[in-house]
Amino acid sequence: MFINVYRQKAAFLPTMKRLRKGHIVTISSAMSLFPLAYNTAYTASKCGATGHMKTLRLELALEKQNDIHVTTVLPSFLDTNDEVSKLGYAIKVNRVYPLIKGKTAARRIVWGMLAGEREIKLPYIVDILYRIWNLLPINWQERLFLLVTSKMFRSFCEMQEESMILGV
């Protein structure tokens, strides 16, 4: 996934720089802020995409490309894929990461782009939680996260084992 972000930037950025205007939007994930256990590859790719966009913003600022805007969207689970939705509701992930309708996300992204937001966290509570979260020491963050999510992850692991046994 991260390779696609890099390739798209490489394809469009030279023209944007020549024209001295443009807008790059990347859909990352709230998982780059709050990683979920047993989703290592996905989380790593989203952390890469988020970090890449933060770095690109700095590079463009150093190059005085002030009219090329970079926006990173960090949604929690989107209710746009039946499989993800069913999984989210089955393991009750919506208690931690609310499922967001596609139209709601699209409206919020466009509004955020027009407002010049650099990062759009969906839903807004993700932004508030992230700010509070980073005030805590790392070991507190981990303990609190495990306390809140451990039952959900046990359900997820059980569902994975069951699907492997059934060959689904």
Side-chain angles (χ1 to χ4, degrees), residues 1-2 5 26-33 39-53 72-75:
M1 287 190 197
F2 174 70
V5 170
T26 295
I27 307 295
S28 183
S29 173
M31 278 198 222
S32 68
L33 308 173
N39 286 280
T40 308
Y42 181 81
T43 299
S45 71
K46 296 307 178 178
C47 287
T50 301
H52 185 74
M53 292 299 106
T72 308
V73 181
L74 302 145

Side-chain angles (χ1 to χ4, degrees), residues 9-159:
K9 181 201 83 169
F12 296 106
L13 191 58
T15 303
M16 289 181 184
K17 284 182 174 182
R18 194 171 77 273
L19 297 172
R20 301 194 64 79
K21 66 179 179 177
H23 204 127
I24 298 171
V25 179
T26 295
I27 307 295
S28 183
S29 173
M31 278 198 222
S32 68
L33 308 173
F34 301 106
L36 289 179
Y38 305 107
N39 286 280
T40 308
Y42 181 81
T43 299
S45 71
K46 296 307 178 178
C47 287
T50 301
H52 185 74
M53 292 299 106
K54 286 180 179 184
T55 304
L56 178 59
R57 271 195 295 276
L58 293 173
E59 291 171 1
L60 291 170
L62 287 170
E63 296 172 12
K64 300 194 185 319
Q65 292 281 359
N66 301 324
D67 289 324
I68 300 176
H69 306 282
V70 177
T71 301
T72 308
V73 181
L74 302 145
S76 63
F77 287 94
L78 296 175
D79 194 5
T80 56
N81 176 312
D82 287 343
E83 189 176 318
V84 171
S85 298
K86 287 177 188 174
L87 176 64
Y89 288 115
I91 64 171
K92 297 178 175 53
V93 75
N94 56 313
R95 292 180 180 176
V96 179
Y97 288 106
L99 298 176
I100 301 168
K101 299 287 182 196
K103 283 185 178 181
T104 302
R107 283 189 196 105
R108 176 64 182 91
I109 292 165
V110 170
W111 183 86
M113 287 173 52
L114 295 174
E117 291 183 49
R118 290 177 170 86
E119 289 187 345
I120 300 170
K121 297 174 186 84
L122 298 169
Y124 187 68
I125 190 70
V126 171
D127 192 35
I128 294 167
L129 289 173
Y130 182 65
R131 291 168 191 262
I132 294 168
W133 195 254
N134 281 305
L135 297 174
L136 300 174
I138 297 293
N139 62 333
W140 289 21
Q141 291 177 21
E142 291 170 352
R143 287 181 186 161
L144 183 61
F145 199 76
L146 289 172
L147 178 70
V148 171
T149 63
S150 61
K151 186 175 180 182
M152 177 182 64
F153 291 123
R154 278 195 295 275
S155 296
F156 177 73
C157 290
E158 288 169 7
M159 287 178 68

